[in-house]
Structures are given as C-alpha cells and as structure tokens.
C-alpha cells in the first residue's frame, strides 16, 4: 500500500485537522466510564497516517465459539410418549394436550403462536416437547413446584467468543446488520447477550460456524468528512482530472454521490489532501467495522460521531470475500429518513475506496465525503 510522502501545505493542514481526533478515544477516564465505553477505542480509532499491513492473523479454537440459552427451566417429569399427534391446532393447545396426563398446565407469554400439525411423535417427554418447540419456533420454561410450563416466542441467548475484540466486533456488527434486537456486550469476558427468536438463534449459530468454515474476515476502516466548496466553481471533476483518470480503477454513480475505487498507486489520504485545495474539509466521524464473509454488517456512525447532526447516519456493508485478494461488496449509506446512497462494487485488498458528493440531509451547500480502507483478517485454527 503506497503512502503519500510529499511535504506540502495541504498535507500539513490535513494532519493538523485530523491529528486531534486520534487522542480523544485514549484519554484517561474514570474506571467506571472506561468500562462502559470499552468498545469505543477499538470502534472509533482509525490511523490514516501510518503504513498498515494488508492482512493480520488470529489463532482460534472452534470450541471457543458457542451459543447457549441460560438455565431457565427445571427438568420435566420423566414420561415416555408412545405416540402423539395433532392436526392443525394452535401450538399452545397441542402442547397442553401432550402435558395433560402429566398434570402440567400450559401458559403463554404475549406473542404470536403458530398452528401446527404433528404426527406420531415418540420418545421421552422432554425430547418430544423440544421437537415441538423447534418446529413451532418457540422457547419454554418449566416451574416444577407449580407444575406450570410457560411458552414464549423469545429467549435470552449468551454468545461466548474467543478472547479477541475484533471477533467480538464482527459478531456485534453482523447482529446489527441483521436487524436483530439490541445486544449487550461484555468486553471483559468476551460475551454478547441478546434476546431473540428461534430463527435468530439459528442464524447466530450459522454465524459462529462461518468463522470456523470461512476462516477470513474483512475489516473496513472509515472516515466521514463534511465538505463545503470554497467557491462556486469547485467540483470533484477537477480533483479527479488533477490526478488523472488512470489513477482510478472504477467510477460508479449511485443514488446519491459517486463511488471511486482507487488504484494502488493512489490512496485516500492523497485524495483528502487534494480535496482540501478546493473545499473546506472537516472530519465528522471515524470508525471501523468487521465483516464476516457473506454477512451484512451495520455501523451506526453516531457511535463515533463528533457532530450531532450525523448521529442518525449509518453505513452497512456486505462482502463476499472471493479470495485473500478480492471482495465483492454492497455498500449502503442510510439516514433515519431513508437510503442516501448505495453501490455494488468489487475491489482488491490494496485498492482503497471513496464516496464523493454524498448529499447532506437538509443542507444544499454542503456534501459528505466517505473514505474506506480494507484489511483482511485470517483465522487460523490452533495447531494448523
């Protein structure tokens, strides 16, 4: 990856503007505040000024990726079910019919429960009930003292991960991209807690399996700038022409703005320095997200925003990592008012990306400018 070394005024000014942002995430904080914001130094810290390795390696153990439900139920009575069938009945009615002989009452938490048809289920009562729960997408808990079985559509899940914060971030980002319920992240014990449905539980288990199977992640480092033209004739065409179109691998017009894929001889820092010759350039968000291959992840820019008008913006990225050199990507920039811009593009690891001309919601004379740098994270099984 090339680095811009020419010492001119534009670069010095860029450094002066950007350098103060590097320290805010590492300042001394009271212990309780530091624990509360354990994600921030990793999430919101991006270094634009040093040569970065194009890939890194994390050693993993497959058994360190687990998803479990907390113990919320007592053991059911040990009954054998010889044959149980039910035809097009609400699942609560079917389960009550199953448990009546055992003297167990069924109650349901609020939610939408399906109608099921069951045929000739056999085995121990707990196993039969689990089959029905999985088929209907339900969870349950049993109070042995009161002999009450409670059905529910959602349950708490605890995701345990290896002791690596980038892996934790990858799961947090994938869950956010899947529009699951909010998560609670324990950065000290590398655990994520979420309350979700059976379908979400299955998707999270698939995500855990993908870490071991795919063995590769994509780290996307982003900086969002607000820019304002210094005069009425300032235009991105001038900046691109100054570099020469041969320095760009791809130009793609989107619903809002234009995406540029830079060739390896050009990097985003050079592009920022050149933009500062014609625009007032102010960094407003800096941060990163980690993308498991084939999963859509979502980064809420407000987590790292330095200016409140940008707190409702988000960037989502879905990457199919084709090999250790190339990825096929879908990038979407959203606000609470709806989609601002979207792009489908392919790039190699050493090709950085910029999106220029992004409209600022509610403002005519300003625009946003997003830069992205990529890094592959290789997952190696211990002992390989």
């Amino acid at each position: 990856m090339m680095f811009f070394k020419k010492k001119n005024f534009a670069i010095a000014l860029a450094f002066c503007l950007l350098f103060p942002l590097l320290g805010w995430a590492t300042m001394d904080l009271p212990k309780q505040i530091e624990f509360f914001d354990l994600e921030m130094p990793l999430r919101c810290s991006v270094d634009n000024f040093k040569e970065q390795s194009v890939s890194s390696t994390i050693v993993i153990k497959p058994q360190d990726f687990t998803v479990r439900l907390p113990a919320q139920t007592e053991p059911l009575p040990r009954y054998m079910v010889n044959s149980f069938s039910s035809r097009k009945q609400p699942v609560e009615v079917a389960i009550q019919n199953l448990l009546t002989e055992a003297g167990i009452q069924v109650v349901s938490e609020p939610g939408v429960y399906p109608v099921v048809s069951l045929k000739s289920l056999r085995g121990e009562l707990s196993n039969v009930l689990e089959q029905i729960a999985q088929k209907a997408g339900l969870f349950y808990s049993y109070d042995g003292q009161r002999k009450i079985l409670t059905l529910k559509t959602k349950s708490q899940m605890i995701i345990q991960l290896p002791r690596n914060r980038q892996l934790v971030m990858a799961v947090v980002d994938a869950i956010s991209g899947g529009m699951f319920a909010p998560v609670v992240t324990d950065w000290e014990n590398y655990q994520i807690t979420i309350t979700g449905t059976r379908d979400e539980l299955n998707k999270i288990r698939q995500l855990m399996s993908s870490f071991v199977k795919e063995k590769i992640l994509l780290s996307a480092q982003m900086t969002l700038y607000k820019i304002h033209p210094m005069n009425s004739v300032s235009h991105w065409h001038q900046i691109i022409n100054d570099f020469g179109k041969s320095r760009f691998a791809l130009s793609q017009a989107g619903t809002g703005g234009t995406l540029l894929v830079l060739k390896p001889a050009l990097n985003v820092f050079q592009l920022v320095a050149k933009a500062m010759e014609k625009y007032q350039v102010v960094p407003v968000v800096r941060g990163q997200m980690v993308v498991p291959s084939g999963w859509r992840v979502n980064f809420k820019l407000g987590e790292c925003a330095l200016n409140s008008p940008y707190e409702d913006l988000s960037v989502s990225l879905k990457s199919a990592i084709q090999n250790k050199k190339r990825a096929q990507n879908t990038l979407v920039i959203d606000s609470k008012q709806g989609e601002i811009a979207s792009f489908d593009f392919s790039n190699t690891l050493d090709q950085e990306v910029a999106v220029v001309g992004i409209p600022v919601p509610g403002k005519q004379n300003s625009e946003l400018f997003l830069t992205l740098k990529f890094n592959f994270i290789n997952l190696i099984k211990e002992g390989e």
Side-chain angles (χ1 to χ4, degrees):
M1 188 176 293
M2 300 287 293
F3 187 72
F4 188 45
K5 296 181 178 179
K6 187 176 180 181
K7 298 180 179 178
N8 58 24
F9 176 78
I11 292 181
L13 183 57
F15 185 86
C16 291
L17 282 172
L18 297 175
F19 179 77
L21 301 180
L22 300 177
W24 71 277
T26 56
M27 65 177 69
D28 291 335
L29 295 170
K31 183 174 178 62
Q32 63 270 28
I33 298 178
E34 183 181 4
F35 181 80
F36 182 78
D37 276 341
L38 279 176
E39 182 180 358
M40 298 296 285
L42 179 63
R43 169 74 67 191
C44 304
S45 184
V46 176
D47 190 351
N48 282 337
F49 307 102
K50 294 181 181 178
E51 189 87 15
Q52 293 197 0
S53 60
V54 295
S55 65
S56 57
T57 299
I58 299 174
V59 179
I60 62 171
K61 298 178 183 178
Q63 61 269 29
D64 289 341
F65 296 89
T66 62
V67 186
R68 63 181 176 85
L69 305 179
Q72 297 177 333
T73 185
E74 298 177 36
L76 286 161
R78 300 199 64 179
Y79 281 83
M80 291 301 297
V81 179
N82 294 323
S83 179
F84 178 76
S85 298
S86 175
R87 180 174 174 80
K88 294 184 179 180
Q89 285 186 313
V91 67
E92 311 98 295
V93 175
I95 292 176
Q96 182 62 78
N97 292 339
L98 172 69
L99 299 178
T100 295
E101 187 176 342
I104 297 172
Q105 179 186 357
V106 175
V107 298
S108 304
E109 291 186 354
V112 178
Y113 294 85
V115 172
V116 295
S117 292
L118 309 167
K119 185 176 180 180
S120 301
L121 298 182
R122 294 179 175 83
E124 191 166 324
L125 178 61
S126 59
N127 294 333
V128 170
L129 181 59
E130 184 62 24
Q131 289 182 56
I132 299 173
Q134 290 188 20
K135 179 180 177 67
L138 303 178
F139 299 97
Y140 61 87
S141 61
Y142 177 60
D143 183 337
Q145 184 174 1
R146 299 168 59 206
K147 301 194 74 173
I148 293 177
L149 185 109
T150 303
L151 301 179
K152 42 194 167 183
T153 57
K154 294 184 177 182
S155 175
Q156 188 181 70
M157 312 166 200
I158 299 174
I159 305 167
Q160 181 65 59
L161 297 164
R163 301 185 67 80
N164 182 281
R165 290 192 176 184
Q166 284 186 306
L167 292 178
V168 176
M169 186 185 292
V171 176
V172 170
D173 289 344
I175 290 174
S176 177
M179 301 301 178
F180 289 16
V183 303
V184 176
T185 308
D186 182 345
W187 291 93
E188 186 176 41
N189 295 307
Y190 301 87
Q191 287 184 347
I192 298 170
T193 303
I194 179 174
T195 298
T197 64
R198 279 270 186 183
D199 182 57
E200 289 169 337
L201 172 62
N202 292 335
K203 288 179 180 178
I204 291 171
R205 284 175 171 160
Q206 291 172 13
L207 176 62
M208 298 296 97
S209 298
S210 75
F211 285 101
V212 180
K213 181 180 178 181
E214 300 293 340
K215 299 183 180 179
I216 196 163
L217 304 170
L218 183 70
S219 172
Q221 302 177 339
M222 297 168 292
T223 304
L224 182 71
Y225 304 87
K226 177 185 176 183
I227 66 174
H228 184 83
M230 293 182 181
N231 58 66
S232 59
V233 297
S234 294
H235 200 282
W236 276 102
H237 286 161
Q238 296 172 299
I239 296 172
I240 294 171
N241 288 335
D242 286 346
F243 283 113
K245 294 182 180 179
S246 62
R247 305 285 292 277
F248 298 88
L250 173 70
S251 173
Q252 181 186 127
T255 52
T258 298
L259 180 134
L260 303 171
V261 177
L262 286 55
K263 288 186 176 179
L266 179 63
N267 61 48
V268 293
F269 183 52
Q270 290 172 285
L271 199 60
V272 172
K274 180 64 69 173
M276 292 180 71
E277 296 176 6
K278 301 182 183 300
Y279 291 88
Q280 296 174 355
V281 181
V282 180
V284 291
V285 179
R286 319 181 71 224
Q288 62 177 314
M289 54 186 175
V290 182
V291 187
S293 181
W295 290 78
R296 178 181 180 271
V297 306
N298 190 63
F299 172 35
K300 295 178 181 178
L301 297 176
E303 295 180 15
C304 303
L306 305 174
N307 199 322
S308 58
Y310 307 99
E311 290 180 354
D312 66 345
L313 296 179
S314 66
V315 173
S316 67
L317 182 66
K318 183 176 181 179
S319 293
I321 302 173
Q322 298 168 336
N323 52 51
K324 294 184 179 181
K325 294 183 178 180
R326 179 173 290 277
Q328 181 67 39
N329 308 290
T330 298
L331 174 72
V332 179
I333 304 170
D334 277 310
S335 73
K336 288 183 179 179
Q337 288 72 42
E339 181 180 295
I340 297 175
S342 62
F343 306 93
D344 292 302
F345 66 97
S346 176
N347 71 305
T348 58
L349 182 61
D350 54 358
Q351 292 177 328
E352 299 174 8
V353 172
V355 184
V356 302
I358 305 168
V360 178
K363 295 190 177 181
Q364 298 294 325
N365 298 323
S366 299
E367 61 185 67
L368 299 176
F369 168 33
L370 178 71
T371 64
L372 296 98
K373 301 173 69 172
F374 300 100
N375 167 261
F376 281 155
I377 303 171
N378 300 297
L379 306 180
I380 305 297
K381 290 183 185 179
E382 189 176 59
E384 285 188 346

